[in-house]
């Protein structure tokens, strides 16, 4: 007896009309099939709970072809970090400058405001700026994670700083690990702080039930403005840095 083999698999890419791309993604935590737009890669992504349901996801995307095309056409184009660019950092606005004779990025206070300086050109400059943001994200998010762990009486967790494109963070209560997108430190401080509270709260409730949101509210109060900020500006942050 021949075993059933799914027609599609995780990571497959299909061509849509006008040369646009549809990427297939399996997320076992997903409750239903959904479509999201990856602004940095300028492609649509079908997210399905299993490989067996990817075919349904493809059919759903084809039904929504006009909507997908419209979203891709309006997607923000990815832009690497470049000298002269202004970038947010926990509520501040940093000016990026390229300087000779240095390598790693360093932050300086100047008469005109904070300046983040790094050496190199093109990809090398962008990578050094990104590495600086990653380091700052680790420091900030580790501290805020510990803060909320203590508030909830929770033990230690393993924290990873990653570059996810569909989520700002994730929590696995069973192995006590939390993953954060480093890009959240380009948001206002309160938004980045909310993300830490959001993920730590999942150690108490692994769902998004009213009981879960009550835990978040107990940690930071009204969380809706922060959620709305990420929804409104998240695509822009994902596009910065290439």
């Amino acid at each position: 007896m021949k075993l059933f083999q799914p027609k599609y698999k995780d990571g497959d890419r299909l061509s849509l009309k006008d040369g646009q791309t549809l990427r297939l993604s399996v997320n076992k935590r997903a409750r239903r099939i959904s479509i999201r737009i990856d602004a940095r890669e300028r492609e649509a992504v079908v997210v399905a709970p299993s490989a067996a349901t990817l075919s349904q996801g493809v059919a759903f995307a084809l039904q929504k072809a006009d909507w997908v095309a419209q979203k891709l056409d309006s997607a923000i184009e990815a832009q690497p970090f470049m000298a002269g660019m202004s970038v947010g950092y926990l509520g501040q606005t940093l000016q990026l400058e390229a300087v000779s004779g240095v390598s790693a990025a360093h932050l300086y206070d100047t008469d005109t405001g904070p300046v983040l300086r790094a050496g190199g050109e093109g990809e090398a400059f962008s990578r050094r700026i990104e590495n600086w943001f990653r380091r700052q994200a680790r420091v900030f998010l580790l501290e805020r994670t510990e803060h909320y762990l203590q508030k909830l009486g929770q033990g230690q967790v393993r924290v990873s700083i990653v570059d996810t494109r569909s989520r700002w963070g994730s929590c696995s209560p069973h192995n006590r690990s939390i993953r954060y997108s480093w890009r959240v430190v380009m948001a206002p401080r309160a938004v980045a702080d909310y993300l830490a509270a959001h993920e730590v709260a999942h150690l108490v409730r692994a769902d998004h039930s009213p009981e879960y949101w009550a835990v978040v509210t107990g940690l930071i109060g009204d969380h809706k403005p922060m959620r709305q900020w990420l929804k409104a500006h998240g695509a822009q942050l994902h596009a910065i840095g290439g």
Side-chain angles (χ1 to χ4, degrees):
M1 178 177 171
K2 188 175 180 180
L3 295 176
F4 169 74
Q5 294 294 329
K7 182 177 180 180
Y8 302 107
K9 62 181 183 298
D10 186 31
D12 280 354
R13 280 179 165 82
L14 309 178
S15 294
L16 299 174
K17 66 178 185 179
D18 299 326
Q20 294 171 331
T21 302
L22 179 69
R23 174 160 52 90
L24 310 185
S25 176
V26 174
N27 182 351
K28 294 180 180 179
R29 296 180 61 183
R31 295 184 178 180
R32 62 184 184 277
I33 293 168
S34 63
I35 304 173
R36 64 176 179 84
I37 302 300
D38 187 330
R40 279 194 289 160
E41 296 296 332
R42 298 187 70 79
E43 62 186 12
V45 183
V46 163
V47 180
S50 66
T53 56
L54 283 174
S55 293
Q56 299 174 40
V58 172
F60 179 57
L62 292 176
Q63 291 176 1
K64 299 288 187 178
D66 291 340
W67 177 87
V68 169
Q70 180 183 13
K71 290 295 183 180
L72 286 173
D73 287 341
S74 61
I76 301 170
E77 187 173 355
Q79 185 177 20
F81 291 116
M82 297 185 298
M85 180 185 289
S86 298
V87 184
Y89 169 59
L90 296 177
Q92 301 182 71
T93 299
L94 310 184
Q95 289 295 126
L96 305 186
E97 286 187 4
V99 294
S100 59
V102 301
S103 54
H106 293 281
L107 183 63
Y108 297 87
D109 287 322
T110 72
D111 293 339
T112 58
V115 175
L116 187 57
R117 294 172 176 152
E121 299 179 355
E123 184 179 342
F125 177 82
S126 184
R127 183 175 61 252
R128 287 164 178 165
I129 296 295
E130 178 181 323
N131 288 341
W132 184 88
F133 274 102
R134 284 178 178 267
R135 291 193 298 271
Q136 306 314 307
R138 174 168 291 279
V139 172
F140 179 84
L141 291 167
L142 280 174
E143 190 277 326
R144 299 316 294 163
T145 298
E146 178 62 27
H147 173 77
Y148 290 119
L149 288 173
Q150 291 184 12
K151 288 193 71 172
L152 291 178
Q154 290 284 324
Q156 294 298 304
V157 297
R158 184 174 69 256
V159 173
S160 301
I161 304 300
V162 297
D163 194 8
T164 53
R165 301 184 183 185
S166 59
R167 294 182 177 185
W168 288 104
S170 62
C171 176
S172 298
H174 65 283
N175 62 12
R176 300 196 63 80
S177 65
I178 292 177
R179 290 157 53 92
Y180 295 113
S181 169
W182 64 267
R183 294 171 178 275
V184 77
V185 292
M186 293 191 286
R189 181 179 292 269
V191 175
D193 185 71
Y194 153 74
L195 180 63
H198 180 111
E199 299 307 336
V200 171
H202 277 308
L203 296 170
V204 179
R205 295 285 305 208
D207 52 26
H208 285 101
S209 63
E211 292 79 8
Y212 162 78
W213 289 114
V215 176
V216 178
T217 300
L219 291 175
I220 63 170
D222 185 9
H223 47 79
K224 292 180 181 178
M226 281 69 82
R227 294 169 62 191
Q228 291 169 351
W229 194 97
L230 282 175
K231 184 175 181 180
H233 303 283
Q236 292 174 309
L237 297 194
H238 281 301
I240 299 174

